[in-house]
Amino acid sequence: MSDIIQLLPDHVANQIAAGEVVQRPASVVKELLENAIDANATEIKLIIKDAGKTLVQVIDNGKGMSVTDARLSFERHATSKIKAAEDLFQLNTKGFRGEALASIAAIAHVELKTKQDEDDLGTVIVIEGSEVKSQEVSVIPTGTSVAVKHLFFNIPARRNFLKSDTVELRHITDEFHRVALAHPNIAFAFYHNGSDLFNIPEENYRQRVVHIFGTKTNEKLVPVEEVTEVLKISGFVGKPNFSKKTKSEQFFFVNQRFIKSPYLNHAIKSAFEGLLKDGYHASYFLNLTVDPKSIDINIHPTKTEIKFDDEHTLYAILRSAVKHSLGQFNIAPVLDFEHQSSLNTPYDYRDKKASTPAIEVDRSFNPFAEESGIKQKTTSHNTGFKSSPTASWESLYVGLESKANNSPSDFSQVTFESESKNESIFSDSSIETRKTTFQLQQKYIVSTLKSGMLVIDQNRAHQRILYENFLRHITIKEATSQQLLFPLQLHFTPNEIKIIEDLKADLEHTGFVFSELSAKEIMITGVPVGVPESEVSIILEQLISDVENDVPDTNFSAADLLAKSMAKSLAIKNGQSLNSTEQEHMVNSLFACKEPNVSPTNRPTFITMAVDDIEKKFM
Ligand code: ADP
Ligand code: MG
C-alpha cells in the first residue's frame, strides 16, 4: 500500500490551531492586549466595532517590531519570548506560544502597523486568511497597532456560532477588566462603536478597582497584604455585607495573569465562613506573586488555569491572610452578629404573630401617605462600620423587621422600609375565610381535595403566580406603575447598566419608570404596583445576575427572563406565616394559572396524596 500521510499546508494547520486559540472576538482581545503588555506599552487603546464581529483593534505605545519581525510575527511558533525549553519555567511574559497572530491571521483580515523607536519608518502589513496581501513602509508612531476585521470570514460555521452582540461584548468587557485589573500601571482606553466605555489613567490598584467597578466599590474594599517566602499577596476583599449574588467580582491574578482556581476560591470562601448569606459570593481582587518556577501555566490553551507546586501551602496562607484582614477591619465579629440576627428574625416574627395576624393587609395602603410610618430608624450600635441602606441582602428581611419587632437590631444607620408590611398580593376581600387550608412549617400550604390531600410549596407557587402575571403585563404592555415619593438612585457598573438598558423596554412594561439611565447610574421614579421600593435594587441585581449566569443565546427571551427573575425576587419566601385568607388566595391564584404544576424554573409547585395512599400507610 502506498504512503498516505502528508503534512497539512500551513494555512490549514493555522486554521486548525486558530480554533483552539480563538473561540470568539474576546479571545482576540485577550491575545492582542497581552501582546501589547509584553511589548512594555504604558498606554493601550482597545477599539471594538459590533462587539468585535466587525473590528477588534489594539493600539499600543510599546517597543514595536523591526521589518523582519513584523513579517515573522505571523508565522506559527514564531515568538520572541522564549528561546529554549527552560525558559518555559520562568515566564515573565503573557505570551510564549507564538501562535496568536498566526492563528488570528488565518481566520480574519489583519492589518499590522508597527514601528520601533530607533527606526524612522514603520511597517504596514495586510494579511487575509494567512495570505500576505501587502507590505509597505510608512510613517507611523512608535508602537504597534493590530486591527482584526471580519473575524471568521472564511469559517461561516464559526461566525454563525457567535452569540448576540450583547453577549460577545460582555465577554470582551470581561477580558478587558481582567487585563486592566492586572496592570494598574498601564493606562487603558476602550471604545465600542465610537463611544468610550473606559478611559483610565495609570493609577494605584485601589483606584483601578474603583474605576472598573464604580465609585460605590471604594467603601467596600478591605486591603489584604501578606508577604511570605513562597507567596506575596496584595489586593482587596469586599466587606461581607457588600457581597453579590454573582461571582462577577472574583479575581485572582498570579504574576499579573488572570487565573481561575476553584481551589484557591475555596480558600477565600472558607475565610468568609459564617459571614455570607446563602447564595451570596465574596468579592475579591487579589494579586498573588510567586516564583515563576513554581507554577506551570502551560496546561490550558487559553491559560486561565494554572498548576502550583505547593497548592496546600498557598491555600493556607491565602485563607489566613484574608481572615486576618477581615478580623483586623473588625468586620468578622460585627457581621457574625448581624448574620445571626437576620437568621433569627423570622422566628421573632413568628412569635410575635401569636397575638397578631401574620400579614396585615392594609387595604387603605397609600404609597403617598405620611412618611412617619414609612421610614423607621433602627437602634444603631456604634460599630464604626457603615452599612449602606441599599446593601442588598439586608433588605431581604425588610418585611420582617417591621415596627413591632422590638429585638435590638444590629445594623447601624440602616433605614428599613416598613411599607412592605402592607404589601400583599392577598388583597381580595371577596374570599371567604372558611378554614380549608393550613400552613405547615411556614413553608407549605396543605389543603384537602375530594380524592385526598394537596401540599403546595408556597414559594414556588407564588413564583408561578407572579411570573404569569409579569409575563402578561410585559406582553400586553399595560402594567400600572406606582410613583415613588423620591426618585431612587442606584449605581451599577457600566456592564450591568448595559444589561438593564437592553431590558429597559420590558422593564417599563412591568411598571418601572426610569428618569435616567446613564453610563454610571440609574434613576427610578416609578415601580410596578406591589413592588416595595426597598426591593428594587434586589430585583435589579437578581436580574443582572440571572442574565449573566444564563448567558442567553439567540432563543433567549428577555421578557421571560425578566418575569422569572422578578418572580423569584418578590415571591413569598419560606418561613413566612400566611393567614387563612392568604393561604386560600394563594391556592386559588395558583390554580388560575396556565401552568400551575410547575414553578417558572420547572420544579413542582405542589404534590398530592390520594386517600388510597394514605390508607396504605395505615396498613
Ligand atoms: P507570543 O505572544 O506567544 O509570542 P504572538 O503570536 O502573540 O505570540 O506574537 C508573536 C510575536 O510577535 C511576539 O513574540 C512578539 O515578538 C511580536 N509581537 C506581537 N504583538 C506585538 C506588539 N504589540 N508589540 C511588539 N511586538 C509584538
Ligand atoms: Mg501573544
Side-chain angles (χ1 to χ4, degrees):
M1 204 175 156
S2 55
D3 300 336
I4 51 170
I5 296 179
Q6 42 177 301
L7 284 175
L8 289 173
D10 262 3
H11 71 276
V12 179
N14 281 339
Q15 240 187 36
I16 294 169
E20 207 185 312
V21 180
V22 184
Q23 281 100 33
R24 51 176 13 122
S27 332
V28 175
V29 169
K30 174 173 191 276
E31 294 296 338
L32 297 185
L33 289 177
E34 290 189 347
N35 279 348
I37 289 162
D38 285 344
N40 298 325
T42 56
E43 276 171 34
I44 300 177
K45 246 187 226 155
L46 169 63
I47 300 167
I48 301 291
K49 281 203 186 116
D50 303 322
K53 293 172 186 169
T54 312
L55 173 74
V56 173
Q57 183 175 16
V58 170
I59 305 172
D60 69 54
N61 66 351
K63 65 182 178 204
M65 286 179 258
S66 68
V67 189
T68 325
D69 282 355
R71 183 62 197 81
L72 259 182
S73 67
F74 289 105
E75 293 298 322
R76 205 140 58 93
H77 306 309
T79 180
S80 55
K81 297 168 195 175
I82 54 171
K83 297 195 166 60
E86 305 88 78
D87 296 348
L88 266 179
F89 302 105
Q90 37 203 338
L91 278 173
N92 288 311
T93 53
K94 310 278 166 195
F96 56 88
R97 296 160 166 262
E99 269 180 338
L101 287 185
S103 300
I104 294 167
I107 51 167
H109 296 181
V110 178
E111 186 190 48
L112 167 75
K113 295 184 187 175
T114 189
K115 186 181 91 69
Q116 293 180 305
D117 208 23
E118 62 263 35
D119 297 340
D120 293 331
L121 292 173
T123 310
V124 179
I125 296 179
V126 176
I127 180 163
E128 297 176 358
S130 300
E131 223 178 280
V132 179
K133 294 283 176 185
S134 68
Q135 175 162 354
E136 283 161 18
V137 177
S138 174
V139 182
I140 44 177
T142 297
T144 303
S145 154
V146 182
V148 177
K149 295 175 199 161
H150 312 303
L151 189 64
F152 298 130
F153 78 99
N154 51 357
I155 319 181
R158 292 298 292 274
R159 206 178 159 79
N160 295 338
F161 183 73
L162 293 177
K163 302 277 168 88
S164 70
D165 281 8
T166 316
V167 174
E168 294 301 340
L169 184 63
R170 200 177 310 135
H171 285 288
I172 289 174
T173 312
D174 284 348
E175 289 298 348
F176 176 80
H177 283 170
R178 293 166 182 179
V179 173
L181 279 172
H183 298 276
N185 55 335
I186 298 177
F188 286 93
F190 175 7
Y191 304 88
H192 182 241
N193 290 343
S195 59
D196 62 335
L197 299 184
F198 286 95
N199 201 336
I200 35 187
E202 176 198 342
E203 56 197 347
N204 68 29
Y205 192 50
R206 179 185 276 267
Q207 290 164 330
R208 181 56 54 97
V209 171
V210 169
H211 260 133
I212 290 184
F213 293 101
T215 37
K216 65 171 179 177
T217 318
N218 196 24
E219 59 173 320
K220 80 177 188 187
L221 299 178
V222 180
V224 180
E225 299 289 339
E226 181 77 66
V227 183
T228 71
E229 246 169 59
V230 289
L231 169 70
K232 183 173 159 250
I233 305 172
S234 73
F236 303 96
V237 293
K239 290 173 185 167
N241 62 329
F242 287 92
S243 60
K244 306 198 73 161
K245 280 195 164 180
T246 67
K247 297 181 181 168
S248 60
E249 292 187 356
Q250 302 192 329
F251 295 89
F252 280 125
F253 300 94
V254 173
N255 298 354
Q256 294 194 301
R257 187 191 291 277
F258 172 81
I259 61 139
K260 286 182 185 152
S261 168
Y263 184 68
L264 294 185
N265 177 58
H266 192 270
I268 311 273
K269 250 173 110 171
S270 92
F272 271 86
E273 200 173 308
L275 302 179
L276 296 177
K277 284 179 54 59
D278 265 4
Y280 282 75
H281 303 282
S283 301
Y284 54 84
F285 314 89
L286 292 171
N287 301 297
L288 315 185
T289 313
V290 297
D291 184 346
K293 286 198 198 83
S294 74
I295 52 174
D296 180 0
I297 40 186
N298 208 0
I299 60 170
H300 195 277
T302 53
K303 295 165 282 173
T304 55
E305 275 159 31
I306 215 170
K307 227 169 60 196
F308 297 98
D309 280 355
D310 187 359
E311 270 194 334
H312 295 302
T313 311
L314 297 197
Y315 184 103
I317 298 174
L318 188 60
R319 178 172 182 269
S320 95
V322 171
K323 262 194 125 121
H324 179 76
S325 291
L326 290 172
Q328 213 181 26
F329 278 75
N330 214 3
I331 288 158
V334 175
L335 257 288
D336 263 338
F337 195 30
E338 285 189 0
H339 192 71
Q340 279 243 304
S341 147
S342 311
L343 286 177
N344 286 338
T345 313
Y347 300 98
D348 292 349
Y349 188 69
R350 180 190 58 191
D351 292 341
K352 178 179 78 68
K353 289 309 156 191
S355 54
T356 10
I359 294 177
E360 288 161 20
V361 181
D362 181 357
R363 293 193 184 82
S364 63
F365 171 61
N366 169 2
F368 305 108
E370 89 294 16
E371 225 198 314
S372 64
I374 298 179
K375 298 219 168 165
Q376 176 196 11
K377 287 229 162 144
T378 59
T379 43
S380 76
H381 282 240
N382 193 2
T383 55
F385 179 64
K386 261 196 199 158
S387 296
S388 147
T390 48
S392 53
W393 64 266
E394 294 149 350
S395 37
L396 274 176
Y397 288 91
V398 152
L400 307 171
E401 286 266 0
S402 53
K403 52 188 159 219
N405 178 6
N406 39 23
S407 68
S409 166
D410 321 303
F411 300 117
S412 57
Q413 300 154 15
V414 180
T415 308
F416 287 106
E417 310 277 337
S418 66
E419 67 196 299
S420 58
K421 179 181 171 102
N422 301 319
E423 282 305 330
S424 170
I425 52 151
F426 310 106
S427 43
D428 187 347
S429 55
S430 66
I431 293 180
E432 30 167 350
T433 49
R434 126 195 94 88
K435 175 116 183 154
T436 57
T437 59
F438 71 90
Q439 203 185 10
L440 184 67
Q441 306 257 327
Q442 266 130 345
K443 189 170 176 194
Y444 302 107
I445 301 169
V446 182
S447 181
T448 50
L449 296 170
K450 255 194 220 130
S451 58
M453 192 170 89
L454 172 74
V455 183
I456 295 177
D457 180 309
Q458 69 186 41
N459 172 263
R460 291 184 193 174
H462 198 198
Q463 281 195 40
R464 162 56 60 185
I465 297 164
L466 292 174
Y467 167 72
E468 292 200 1
N469 214 359
F470 284 128
L471 209 53
R472 194 162 48 240
H473 285 154
I474 296 169
T475 344
I476 60 172
K477 307 183 178 176
E478 52 185 39
T480 37
S481 180
Q482 148 195 329
Q483 207 185 337
L484 295 174
L485 202 52
F486 301 107
L488 190 63
Q489 190 185 20
L490 300 172
H491 295 272
F492 289 96
T493 66
N495 232 4
E496 293 171 337
I497 301 242
K498 180 81 183 58
I499 292 175
I500 295 175
E501 250 170 16
D502 291 342
L503 286 171
K504 184 170 177 245
D506 285 330
L507 280 163
E508 283 170 348
H509 295 146
T510 65
F512 280 100
V513 182
F514 297 93
S515 69
E516 195 183 326
L517 192 55
S518 71
K520 293 229 160 48
E521 67 176 36
I522 289 185
M523 195 84 91
I524 293 175
T525 52
V527 297
V529 170
V531 172
E533 185 179 333
S534 54
E535 293 279 329
V536 173
S537 77
I538 298 180
I539 292 173
L540 294 180
E541 281 197 20
Q542 177 72 54
L543 179 67
I544 289 163
S545 150
D546 286 347
V547 173
E548 278 175 344
N549 294 333
D550 208 88
V551 187
D553 51 31
T554 32
N555 338 324
F556 146 81
S557 148
D560 187 68
L561 196 89
L562 173 63
K564 266 187 200 152
S565 184
M566 285 186 46
K568 186 158 75 185
S569 299
L570 288 167
I572 282 179
K573 308 282 182 293
N574 293 333
Q576 188 162 342
S577 308
L578 303 174
N579 66 28
S580 39
T581 315
E582 294 161 350
Q583 292 166 23
E584 285 221 22
H585 192 75
M586 177 84 90
V587 179
N588 293 340
S589 311
L590 176 65
F591 290 101
C593 284
K594 288 199 185 113
E595 264 187 87
N597 304 22
V598 287
S599 75
T601 48
N602 259 329
R603 284 188 287 178
T605 48
F606 64 85
I607 54 157
T608 55
M609 201 184 265
V611 180
D612 287 355
D613 295 334
I614 297 173
E615 272 167 0
K616 271 187 209 136
K617 295 229 180 242
F618 283 102
M619 297 221 279

